[in-house]
Amino acid sequence: MTETIRTRVAIVGAGPAGLVLSHLLAASGIESIVVDQRSREEIETTIRAGILEQGTVELLAAIDGSRVHTVGSRHDGIELRFDGAGHRIDFADLVGRAVWLYPQHEALKDLIAARLAAGQDLRFGVTVASVEGADTSSPRVRATDPTGAPLEIEADFVVGADGSRSSVRAAVTGAHGGYFREYPFAWFGILCEAPPSAEELIYSNSPDGFALISQRSPTVQRMYFQCDPEADPHALSEAEIWDTLQKRVPGTTLAEGPIFQRDVLRFRSFVARDLRRGRVAIVGDAAHTVPPTGAKGMNLAVADVILLARALEALLLRGDEAGIDGWADAARQRIWKAQHFSWWMTSMLHVTPDATDFDRLRQLGELRTVVDSDAGRAYLAEAYTGWPLD
Ligand code: DHB
């Protein structure tokens, strides 16, 4: 027996994009269902990035029970370090904005709790096989429930917010695929028990490669260093990891402590050629991925769904198609700006394996162009803290 559910908006994926979308739709009186293949525990414990743009924070802070202001911490600047010196990018002074350090999985715990408390139909362990009927007025999601029994969701609109390995994307892009860029490096990330090594995040370009000294809390720190994409996260001893990190932030003595998590993050830039087909749209990582430098991933996902929620309100409450017809183009403008920023931060700060002396010296010239100019620092500050959403 196939269970069939009828709803207005079927959202595949209970990550930031899917959960924020269901929240915004509910605020407009539009019913939705959210399904995710993962368990609630997996979603709430998977370590992702930790920087939220000001607009993302304003939206999250308005959700009941959000801990973004109590557990998260405001950062008014970052440091760019290269050629033996540090240079502060003062967000407050340059653009009057800030970012918050609040780990994505903590934001997800808040969102899941708030959606369940509001009576949201939110189901974990649901595996989506396909989406059909994009060109009709009642697209359908074909899935299986946690027991393996078939489940069909019939909706007025289907949204794929199901990450970079999206099951929904094929219904939108067909064989078109999208635009890709691979990078010849990755990040080796660690979580360790130690106090912060500096007040603000340090993005360091060193002759040995990039390092990022980030934070999580007064007692837990997150750090990354550029590595080979094929690196085995377990091949290095703790002493070798600290040695690598210390060398890449000359001028700072890192506070060391036990490393309790390590991972290698692959880099990829991707934008799907199509973001919508008829009554099916893709958002967040299902639609685009950015390299992690600058932490745009979650923020961009939230921006996609803020625009999409407005378009769906017009479509589903007033029968007005203009918003949804213009949604993909509107979303794409921010997506490509964020793609550019993430690519630019990445290429400016990392050392490619085949870099010549010319490439290295040009890169230092680029970094100096940014930090020596008010306009350069202001561009970085504006993009990092997030372009206003309206
Ligand atoms: C973090 C990740 C990023 O990609 C970044 O630019 C800043 C911080 C983090 O995980 O803390």
Side-chain angles (χ1 to χ4, degrees):
M1 269 289 288
T2 300
E3 183 190 354
T4 303
I5 309 167
R6 162 88 218 148
T7 186
R8 298 221 74 188
V9 182
I11 301 171
V12 182
L19 293 167
V20 168
L21 180 62
S22 71
H23 165 77
L24 294 173
L25 292 175
S28 304
I30 298 171
E31 183 210 36
S32 67
I33 175 171
V34 181
V35 297
D36 199 295
Q37 183 167 11
R38 298 166 294 171
S39 67
R40 179 174 179 180
E41 202 207 333
E42 187 183 345
I43 294 170
E44 293 186 341
T45 54
T46 303
I47 305 296
R48 308 291 284 270
I51 290 288
L52 303 183
E53 294 175 0
Q54 179 154 326
T56 306
V57 169
E58 284 163 8
L59 186 146
L60 293 180
I63 296 175
D64 278 350
S66 171
R67 296 165 300 142
V68 65
H69 283 314
T70 50
V71 175
S73 57
R74 196 174 99 176
H75 284 246
D76 289 316
I78 55 167
E79 187 185 308
L80 286 190
R81 188 168 300 185
F82 60 92
D83 204 16
H87 306 264
R88 181 160 192 258
I89 307 294
D90 185 332
F91 302 151
D93 183 43
L94 290 159
V95 291
R97 292 169 76 80
V99 295
W100 269 255
L101 198 120
Y102 188 51
Q104 179 168 322
H105 69 279
E106 297 294 346
L108 289 173
K109 283 186 206 167
D110 295 350
L111 282 163
I112 289 171
R115 295 312 307 131
L116 291 174
Q120 173 72 42
D121 190 344
L122 167 53
R123 303 185 190 200
F124 302 101
V126 172
T127 305
V128 170
S130 64
V131 174
E132 285 158 28
D135 294 319
T136 72
S137 57
S138 57
R140 286 171 313 284
V141 177
R142 288 194 201 285
T144 47
D145 75 8
T147 69
L151 175 72
E152 192 168 308
I153 310 168
E154 216 179 270
D156 296 328
F157 204 96
V158 174
V159 179
D162 52 342
S164 57
R165 291 191 207 95
S166 172
S167 314
V168 178
R169 192 164 54 226
V172 173
T173 61
H176 289 319
Y179 309 96
F180 292 92
R181 188 191 171 93
E182 303 277 349
Y183 297 81
F185 38 74
W187 277 3
F188 194 115
I190 62 158
L191 278 169
C192 66
E193 285 167 37
S197 295
E199 267 182 37
E200 293 179 338
L201 272 59
I202 303 173
Y203 287 80
S204 182
N205 168 299
S206 84
D208 297 322
F210 173 71
L212 168 58
I213 310 305
S214 184
Q215 310 171 2
R216 280 296 177 268
S217 73
T219 54
V220 173
Q221 310 311 317
R222 181 80 162 140
M223 304 182 194
Y224 303 95
F225 61 88
Q226 173 186 344
C227 69
D228 187 285
E230 304 304 330
D232 170 3
H234 300 287
L236 293 183
S237 68
E238 293 205 12
E240 286 168 325
I241 292 174
W242 286 117
D243 193 43
T244 305
L245 279 164
Q246 294 279 8
K247 274 207 197 101
R248 294 192 189 185
V249 278
T252 294
T253 303
L254 297 174
E256 299 182 8
I259 294 170
F260 61 90
Q261 197 192 293
R262 31 170 97 196
D263 43 21
V264 170
L265 279 77
R266 301 291 290 256
F267 275 42
R268 199 165 81 130
S269 299
F270 164 68
V271 181
R273 201 158 110 173
D274 303 303
L275 304 181
R276 179 182 77 102
R277 178 168 156 203
R279 293 285 184 115
V280 183
I282 47 176
V283 294
D285 280 2
H288 42 73
T289 51
V290 289
T293 331
K296 280 282 160 270
M298 170 172 174
N299 296 295
L300 197 52
V302 169
D304 286 350
V305 300
I306 290 174
L307 292 176
L308 183 59
R310 281 187 211 146
L312 289 177
E313 264 171 53
L315 177 71
L316 301 176
L317 299 180
R318 301 189 290 281
D320 172 359
E321 308 248 347
I324 197 69
D325 285 345
W327 169 76
D329 282 341
R332 249 191 292 270
Q333 291 192 5
R334 190 184 184 95
I335 291 166
W336 280 108
K337 278 161 69 172
Q339 282 293 353
H340 169 70
F341 177 69
S342 306
W343 167 88
W344 175 69
M345 287 283 280
T346 300
S347 63
M348 179 168 69
L349 289 164
H350 293 69
V351 179
T352 54
D354 61 354
T356 62
D357 287 348
F358 177 89
D359 296 331
R360 277 293 296 149
L361 293 166
R362 186 210 58 79
Q363 195 178 43
L364 295 176
E366 182 176 9
L367 282 157
R368 206 163 288 292
T369 304
V370 174
V371 301
D372 283 354
S373 134
D374 282 348
R377 285 182 294 116
Y379 164 67
L380 202 163
E382 183 182 64
Y384 194 98
T385 56
W387 303 281
L389 285 157
D390 272 311

